[in-house]
Amino acid sequence: MGKKQVRQQMRQIKPKAAASNTAGATRKQRERFVQAGGMLQGYSPDQVVRFGYISIAIAVVCVLIIAACLLFLPPSYGWPDAVAASIAWIFPIALLASFVGPGFRLALKDRKAEPRIVQGQLVGASSVSTSMGLGMLMVQTRGGTEQFLVPPARLKQVPGNQVNVILTITPHLHHVKSVGVMGQRMVGRVEPPVPTVMKRLQLIPVITPLALAAGAVIGDDAVALAPIQPSALHAALAVLVGAALAGGVYAVSFFLQRRWMEQVQALVPRT
C-alpha cells in the first residue's frame, strides 16, 4: 500500500513540474528576445538609431501636447478633464520606450563594439521572415541550430546545398553584416512565393503599436472634450474609454497574430 501511494503522489507531481519548466523556458525566451533588441533584432545599428531619433522627436511632440492640454483646457473644461485628456498622450511615449528603447540602447553599443564571427553548416535560408525587410538563415553551430535575421541582399550568394558559412554579426542586435560561403556552390537556392499570411504577420508589429496609441488617444480625448457632468465622473469616463479601446485593439491584434501564426505553421511541411 505504501508503494502505491508514493507512485500516485509522483504521478500527481510530474505535470506541475512540467508546467513550471515550460513557464520558465517561456520567460527565458522573452528575456533573450528583449536582450537582443526585441522587434528591432536583426536590423542594422544605424537604422535602429534613426528609429530611436524619430521616436524621441515623437515623444517630444507628445510632451508638448500634454503641456498644451494642461495649459489651455482647465479654463474651459476644468482640471480633471484636462488631466484626463493629457494622460492619453503618455501612452504613445510608453509604447515607444518599450518597443524602440531596448533596441536603441543596443544599437549605440553595437556602433562601438567589434563584430563577432559565427561559423557553421548551412541548414536553410529564406528571403522572408516575420520581421519586415529581413530574411532568415539557419546555421548548425557547435552550440546547436541558430537562426539569424539577415537582409535579403546578403542571401543571394547562399546556395541550396549544405555548405559551411561564416557570418559576421554585431554582438547585441545580432545584425548580420556579411555572409561568407565556404565550399562549392553546387545547387542554386529556389525561393518559393511568399504566402500572403506571412506579409500580414510582418505588419502586426508595426500596426499594433500605432493602433494602440491611436485607440487610447482618440477614445480618451474624444470623451474628455465632450460636455459631460460632473467633472470628476467625466474625467474617469474618459480614461476608461481610452483604456477600453486600447484593450480592444490589443485583443484583436493578439487574435489575428495567433490565427495567422497557425496558418504559417500549417504551411510547414510535416516530417
Side-chain angles (χ1 to χ4, degrees):
M1 292 293 293
K3 293 182 178 180
K4 291 182 178 180
Q5 291 179 354
V6 171
R7 290 177 181 175
Q8 290 178 355
Q9 290 177 356
M10 291 178 65
R11 290 174 183 174
Q12 293 175 356
I13 292 173
K14 283 182 179 179
K16 295 181 180 179
S20 177
N21 293 335
T22 303
T26 303
R27 184 170 59 253
K28 290 181 180 179
Q29 289 178 355
R30 291 176 180 175
E31 291 176 355
R32 287 196 297 266
F33 179 73
V34 174
Q35 291 174 357
M39 293 193 312
L40 298 178
Q41 178 182 355
Y43 293 97
S44 68
D46 292 337
Q47 188 175 8
V48 175
V49 168
R50 286 195 296 270
F51 290 156
Y53 289 149
I54 294 173
S55 300
I56 292 173
I58 295 174
V60 171
V61 173
C62 292
V63 171
L64 294 177
I65 294 176
I66 292 173
C69 290
L70 296 177
L71 184 63
F72 297 109
L73 293 183
S76 302
Y77 295 91
W79 277 105
D81 293 342
V83 172
S86 61
I87 285 177
W89 292 95
I90 300 177
F91 193 61
I93 300 175
L95 285 177
L96 290 172
S98 60
F99 282 96
V100 182
F104 181 71
R105 291 192 296 268
L106 295 179
L108 295 177
K109 294 180 180 179
D110 276 346
R111 276 184 160 185
K112 301 177 181 179
E114 290 292 330
R116 66 186 183 95
I117 305 298
V118 176
Q119 182 176 353
Q121 188 178 42
L122 176 66
V123 177
S126 174
S127 60
V128 66
S129 69
T130 54
S131 296
M132 185 178 298
L134 294 177
M136 181 175 291
L137 192 68
M138 297 180 64
V139 180
Q140 180 68 37
T141 64
R142 293 181 179 179
T145 303
E146 298 187 35
Q147 296 182 357
F148 300 95
L149 296 173
V150 186
R154 296 192 174 95
L155 294 175
K156 293 181 179 180
Q157 60 179 344
V158 176
N161 56 306
Q162 289 187 346
V163 294
N164 289 330
V165 294
I166 299 178
L167 309 180
T168 304
I169 66 173
T170 58
H172 299 100
L173 284 176
H174 298 166
H175 168 66
V176 178
K177 303 181 69 173
S178 65
V179 178
V181 179
M182 301 173 60
Q184 187 176 3
R185 301 178 180 88
M186 299 176 59
V187 180
R189 185 168 53 88
V190 179
E191 284 289 347
V194 180
T196 304
V197 65
M198 183 64 74
K199 297 179 180 179
R200 294 173 182 171
L201 269 178
Q202 291 178 340
L203 296 176
I204 284 289
V206 179
I207 294 178
T208 298
L210 296 176
L212 283 173
V217 170
I218 293 174
D220 189 310
D221 287 2
V223 177
L225 299 178
I228 301 175
Q229 295 295 333
S231 182
L233 178 62
H234 186 190
L237 184 62
V239 174
L240 288 176
V241 171
L245 281 179
V249 170
Y250 178 80
V252 172
S253 174
F254 180 81
F255 170 77
L256 291 176
Q257 185 177 13
R258 185 175 180 179
R259 181 180 179 183
W260 292 340
M261 281 298 297
E262 291 176 353
Q263 294 178 6
V264 170
Q265 292 175 357
L267 296 175
V268 178
R270 303 292 181 180
T271 56

